[in-house]
C-alpha cells in the first residue's frame, strides 16, 4: 500500500467529476448511450434514496452521482458515508421489463462484475469479488454495493448503488479493513474515467442479460471468474445466527455460494449470509 500523503496533496487529487463528459459518453441513443439522464450533485444524504423517491415517476436508466454523501447505507442498514471528492458515489434507477422476479437477486452480483472490471481496466488495481458483492484488494474492501427494489409490479424497478474509494487517505478510511485506489497505487485516480467505465460496463451487462432473455448462465460464469471466495475456507453467518464452516466450492446459477461443510456432508447452497474468508487449516 502507498505511503500517506499530506492533506494538501490529497485535495489536489480530488478534481470534480466532469458531468458534461459523462453525459456525452453515456446518455442518448444517438451515441448508443444506455442512459436517459445523468446528474451530478455536490452533496446528498443518499443517491439511492434520492432515486427511490422518484422511482414512481416512470424514469428509467437514470444516473445520479454525488461528490459527497452524508447519509448512505450499506447492506443490513450499515452506515456508509463519503469524503468530499474522494469517492465514486453513483446510483442507477433501472426498470427490468420481463425479468423474472427471482432473477433480480443477480443485480448486486452484476454490479460487482462491472465494478471489478472498471477498477481493473482504468486503474490497474487487481480487484476481486468477495461473495456476494464486496469489491476487495488483498482482502481489503475497496467498494460497496447496495441494490434496493423500488417496485415489483407492473414492472420490476430497482435502484443500484455503488461506492468506490478513490483518494481516501489511510486516516480517512471508514474501517481499518478498507482501502482506496490511492493506497493501492492505482495508475489512474481521476474519478471521471472510472465512473464512465463503471457505468458503461454496467449498461453493457444489462443489455447482454436482456438479450439472453434474463438467463443467468453467462452472468454466473463471469462472476465465478472474478470471485475470490470460490476455493476459500469460509465461515458463513446464516439467518438465525447459525454458523457454517467449510470450503466455498462454487457460485450456482441462482447466485448462491455453495459450501462444502467441514467434516463432510452434503454441500449447502447459501442465498443470504455474512461470509468471512478463513485461513486454511
Amino acid at each position: 500500500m502507498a505511503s500517506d500523503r499530506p492533506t494538501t496533496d490529497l485535495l489536489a487529487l480530488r478534481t470534480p467529476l466532469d458531468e458534461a463528459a459523462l453525459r456525452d459518453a453515456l446518455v442518448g441513443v444517438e451515441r448508443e448511450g444506455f442512459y436517459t439522464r445523468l446528474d451530478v450533485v455536490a452533496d446528498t444524504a443518499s443517491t439511492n434514496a434520492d432515486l427511490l423517491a422518484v422511482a414512481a415517476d416512470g424514469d428509467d436508466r437514470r444516473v445520479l452521482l454525488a461528490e459527497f454523501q452524508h447519509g448512505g447505507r450499506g447492506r443490513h442498514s450499515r452506515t456508509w458515508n463519503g469524503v468530499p471528492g474522494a469517492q465514486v458515489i453513483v446510483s442507477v434507477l433501472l426498470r427490468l421489463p420481463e425479468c423474472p422476479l427471482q432473477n433480480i437477486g443477480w443485480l448486486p452480483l452484476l454490479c460487482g462484475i462491472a465494478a471489478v472490471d472498471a477498477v481493473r481496466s482504468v486503474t490497474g488495481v487487481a480487484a476481486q469479488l468477495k461473495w456476494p458483492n464486496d469489491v476487495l484488494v488483498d482482502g481489503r474492501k475497496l467498494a460497496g454495493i447496495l441494490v434496493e427494489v423500488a417496485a415489483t409490479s407492473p414492472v420490476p424497478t430497482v435502484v443500484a448503488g455503488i461506492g468506490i474509494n478513490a483518494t481516501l487517505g489511510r486516516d480517512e478510511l471508514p474501517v481499518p479493513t478498507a482501502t482506496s485506489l490511492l493506497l493501492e497505487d492505482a495508475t489512474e485516480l481521476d474519478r471521471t474515467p472510472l465512473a464512465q467505465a463503471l457505468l458503461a460496463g454496467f449498461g453493457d451487462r444489462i443489455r447482454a442479460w436482456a438479450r439472453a432473455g434474463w438467463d443467468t448462465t453467462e452472468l454466473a460464469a463471469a462472476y465465478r471468474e472474478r470471485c475470490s471466495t470460490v476455493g476459500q475456507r469460509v465461515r458463513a453467518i446464516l439467518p438465525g445466527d447459525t454458523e457454517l464452516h467449510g470450503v466455498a466450492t462454487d457460485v450456482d446459477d441462482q447466485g448462491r455460494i455453495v459450501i462444502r461443510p467441514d467434516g463432510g456432508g452434503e454441500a449447502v447452497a447459501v442465498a443470504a449470509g455474512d461470509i468471512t474468508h478463513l485461513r486454511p487449516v
Side-chain angles (χ1 to χ4, degrees):
M1 296 174 74
S3 59
D4 294 325
R5 297 196 188 194
T7 301
T8 52
D9 288 351
L10 292 179
L11 293 175
L13 292 172
R14 294 170 184 171
T15 56
L17 289 163
D18 189 335
E19 185 174 9
L22 290 170
R23 281 195 185 130
D24 189 60
L26 298 166
V27 178
V29 293
E30 67 276 6
R31 291 184 293 274
E32 298 185 357
F34 177 75
Y35 301 98
T36 60
R37 176 173 174 178
L38 183 149
D39 298 293
V40 178
V41 297
D43 181 11
T44 188
S46 164
T47 53
N48 264 32
D50 290 347
L51 291 185
L52 286 168
V54 300
D57 295 346
D59 285 350
D60 184 21
R61 292 171 287 145
R62 176 175 173 177
V63 179
L64 179 63
L65 298 111
E67 296 284 5
F68 176 54
Q69 179 171 269
H70 61 262
R73 293 171 294 112
R75 288 187 298 128
H76 310 302
S77 297
R78 295 165 180 153
T79 301
W80 194 91
N81 294 329
V83 172
Q87 293 149 306
V88 173
I89 300 169
V90 60
S91 296
V92 179
L93 173 61
L94 185 67
R95 300 185 186 278
L96 300 167
E98 301 180 7
C99 179
L101 289 179
Q102 66 267 24
N103 286 1
I104 290 178
W106 265 98
L107 256 295
L109 283 70
L110 184 151
C111 289
I113 295 169
V116 163
D117 287 354
V119 168
R120 289 178 178 180
S121 64
V122 175
T123 75
V125 172
Q128 293 182 302
L129 287 166
K130 171 177 170 283
W131 186 90
N133 55 13
D134 285 341
V135 179
L136 305 184
V137 181
D138 293 332
R140 296 178 292 274
K141 188 170 179 177
L142 177 70
I145 292 162
L146 178 65
V147 175
E148 299 181 272
V149 177
T152 57
S153 65
V155 177
T157 304
V158 300
V159 173
I162 303 173
I164 303 175
N165 296 333
T167 58
L168 290 178
R170 206 179 311 277
D171 60 352
E172 295 173 315
L173 297 174
V175 292
T177 53
T179 190
S180 70
L181 295 172
L182 172 70
L183 296 173
E184 299 300 333
D185 296 319
T187 57
E188 175 64 78
L189 291 172
D190 186 341
R191 292 172 301 139
T192 295
L194 179 60
Q196 180 177 328
L198 172 64
L199 288 164
F202 177 82
D204 288 345
R205 290 280 174 188
I206 294 293
R207 281 171 164 160
W209 193 20
R211 286 195 300 268
W214 308 108
D215 181 81
T216 62
T217 303
E218 290 186 10
L219 266 184
Y223 183 87
R224 291 185 194 106
E225 290 175 0
R226 295 155 178 80
C227 183
S228 64
T229 303
V230 175
Q232 293 264 11
R233 187 165 178 271
V234 300
R235 177 178 69 245
I237 309 297
L238 307 178
D241 289 331
T242 58
E243 289 194 18
L244 173 64
H245 291 241
V247 175
T249 60
D250 195 11
V251 174
D252 68 14
D253 286 349
Q254 297 180 47
R256 301 176 299 182
I257 191 76
V258 179
I259 300 174
R260 185 178 69 243
D262 290 346
E266 292 188 5
V268 178
V270 174
D274 280 339
I275 298 293
T276 303
H277 291 181
L278 303 175
R279 294 181 182 275
V281 294

